[in-house]
Amino acid sequence: MQSFRPEEVVVERGSEASPIFRNLQRTLPQVSFRFVDDIVAENRNSAHRFGAAKKKLFLTRHKGEFLKKCPGSEGQVCCNYFVINFASNCPMDCSYCYLQEYLAHNPALKVFSNVDDLLLEAEELLTKHRRAFFRIGTGEITDSLALDPYIGFAREVVPFFAEQPNVLLELKTKSDCVDGLLALDPKDRVVVSWSMNPQPVIELDEHRTASFEQRLGAARRCQDAGYRLGFHFDPMVEYPGWEKDYEEMVDHIFATIDWRRVSWFSMGVLRNTPGLKRTMRDRFPRTSLLTGEQVLCPDGKLRYFQPLRVQMYREMLGWIRRAAPTAKVYLCMESKEVWQQVFGYAPSCEKELGNQMAPHL
């Protein structure tokens, strides 16, 4: 993976007491730190484009709630997932990334310093609902681990979640930045997961990410250190020869890791919006992802025609089941109709699907 190093760290005053600030100072000794009173005003004055915004790192307090329900997608089956936003934007630069549209007017690469507030909020939720099971992820608007060598976020949160009886914390990444995890004890309550694609897709469209082999090597290291794993085949991309590449990818994964220590696999096809396609065409004119036929679905997203999606999911499910007959597999942002055609059933509600992901320890 290409190492990330910001050109400057901009610190909002009041964040100096945070362990995140201390970690940044320790790991980025050659980078200039600048202190400001108002990050919002700083961002407004900068007016960075999306790509340029990734070159500067902002440290600020988060003023709102950290924890929220995954927004899902209208008309699609929701997996009852919760998200923690500890940062915003990502040092990687995938051509299909929805953040290009979602964060178009607020593209600053930000890390939030008040981790103590985050953990307090999580403790209140988990304590209040001890009989409920929560699956919480940190990779909605950033990569969970790409910044970890500098900010040490995992070291601050993994010990807390490892002690909670009714949660699985998912750290989802396209990086191989797992060194900060290996000395921690996850106690079967932390899942480290990877978005996986064949190497040709990574090379063409997942810029500044770890290679397939680097991701898989990191997964094996985490498994050896006691972590449960997850794999997200999302977005699956249709192109000439995709079947061979994806089948070989799945076989290689199962030849490397113990599938019995995998908490879940998910599948989802390439999803765009008309606005995102325009941004992709502007920022990545050489990408091939704009040439395939897609249709507009009820949630406003463009997807491959339903028969093609069903075919791709069935093929992938068959390759997974061949090696891992009882593994938990689910679809991301798909309709009940597609679920029915792929699995022969559809979850009756988001709670049912969420409970299927609960650990049976």
Side-chain angles (χ1 to χ4, degrees):
M1 174 183 168
Q2 294 183 20
S3 60
F4 165 75
R5 186 171 295 272
E7 296 176 352
E8 181 184 37
V9 177
V10 182
V11 181
E12 186 177 61
R13 297 190 190 278
S15 294
E16 297 92 332
S18 167
I20 302 297
F21 173 74
R22 294 193 295 272
N23 291 335
L24 284 168
Q25 280 199 315
R26 175 176 53 83
T27 56
L28 294 171
Q30 306 302 320
V31 175
S32 171
F33 281 65
R34 181 161 57 90
F35 296 85
V36 299
D37 293 321
D38 188 350
I39 286 286
V40 175
E42 176 76 18
N43 289 339
R44 191 183 302 120
N45 294 334
S46 298
H48 285 306
R49 291 173 62 86
F50 187 80
K54 296 173 180 283
K55 298 179 180 180
K56 187 181 296 188
L57 182 63
F58 291 84
L59 182 65
T60 179
R61 292 181 61 84
H62 184 53
K63 278 47 170 206
E65 294 182 343
F66 281 96
L67 256 169
K68 66 176 183 176
K69 186 80 179 295
C70 176
S73 200
E74 183 179 352
Q76 316 305 309
V77 176
C78 176
C79 60
N80 206 30
Y81 197 70
F82 285 74
V83 293
I84 288 175
N85 291 325
F86 73 95
S88 181
N89 210 338
C90 172
M92 303 174 185
D93 208 12
C94 298
S95 64
Y96 54 76
C97 181
Y98 85 101
L99 296 181
Q100 296 172 98
E101 182 177 32
Y102 186 72
L103 297 178
H105 301 294
N106 186 21
L109 179 58
K110 292 181 288 189
V111 176
F112 302 122
S113 59
N114 47 327
V115 181
D116 51 345
D117 292 335
L118 183 161
L119 294 179
L120 180 61
E121 190 178 326
E123 184 175 30
E124 290 176 352
L125 175 71
L126 297 173
T127 302
K128 184 178 180 180
H129 303 282
R130 279 299 187 206
R131 294 187 177 183
F133 165 72
F134 293 89
R135 196 162 64 109
I136 300 176
T138 62
E140 183 196 21
I141 56 174
T142 190
D143 183 281
S144 294
L145 293 175
L147 292 171
D148 206 60
Y150 307 108
I151 66 175
F153 177 74
R155 196 162 57 245
E156 304 300 326
V157 299
V158 166
F160 167 80
F161 282 97
E163 297 296 336
Q164 306 305 311
N166 56 334
V167 68
L168 283 180
L169 174 70
E170 181 177 30
L171 304 174
K172 184 178 178 183
T173 188
K174 289 189 178 103
S175 79
D176 58 350
C177 301
V178 298
D179 288 350
L181 297 172
L182 302 182
L184 306 174
D185 184 0
K187 299 182 180 179
D188 262 349
R189 291 298 167 185
V190 181
V191 178
V192 190
S193 67
W194 276 265
S195 297
M196 284 297 206
N197 258 315
Q199 187 60 30
V201 176
I202 293 173
E203 290 177 358
L204 289 173
D205 290 293
E206 296 183 355
H207 311 289
R208 302 179 193 160
T209 67
S211 70
F212 171 77
E213 291 291 349
Q214 288 172 328
R215 298 181 205 183
L216 188 55
R220 181 55 190 260
R221 292 168 65 201
C222 284
Q223 187 175 78
D224 291 344
Y227 288 87
R228 301 190 68 84
L229 304 181
F231 291 98
H232 299 277
F233 305 120
D234 187 0
M236 293 175 60
V237 178
E238 189 271 337
Y239 58 89
W242 72 269
E243 299 98 326
K244 178 177 180 294
D245 287 352
Y246 277 90
E247 182 177 12
E248 289 180 351
M249 176 189 71
V250 171
D251 288 345
H252 195 14
I253 290 173
F254 285 119
T256 305
I257 56 94
D258 179 359
W259 70 266
R260 293 165 297 183
R261 294 287 298 165
V262 176
S263 289
W264 47 69
F265 298 88
S266 77
M267 304 184 293
V269 297
L270 179 69
R271 300 177 291 278
N272 292 314
T273 65
L276 179 56
K277 291 191 79 166
R278 288 191 292 270
T279 300
M280 290 170 62
R281 190 173 291 112
D282 178 51
R283 296 193 66 228
F284 301 99
R286 298 178 62 183
T287 181
S288 62
L289 300 184
L290 300 171
T291 59
E293 287 191 80
Q294 293 180 308
V295 294
L296 191 63
C297 297
D299 62 350
K301 292 185 173 65
L302 295 158
R303 293 174 175 83
Y304 299 135
F305 288 100
Q306 187 180 109
L308 176 58
R309 291 174 5 233
V310 170
Q311 176 199 347
M312 294 176 73
Y313 294 144
R314 284 176 173 172
E315 294 271 19
M316 181 66 81
L317 182 63
W319 300 326
I320 295 172
R321 289 280 184 247
R322 185 169 64 197
T326 60
K328 296 176 182 178
V329 187
Y330 68 96
L331 298 179
C332 186
M333 294 191 182
E334 278 292 357
S335 65
K336 287 189 175 183
E337 183 179 359
V338 171
W339 270 83
Q340 190 70 45
Q341 293 182 63
V342 175
F343 292 101
Y345 80 97
S348 59
C349 64
E350 63 182 38
K351 185 176 180 180
E352 177 188 345
L353 180 54
N355 288 338
Q356 288 178 18
M357 298 298 111
H360 300 286
L361 304 174

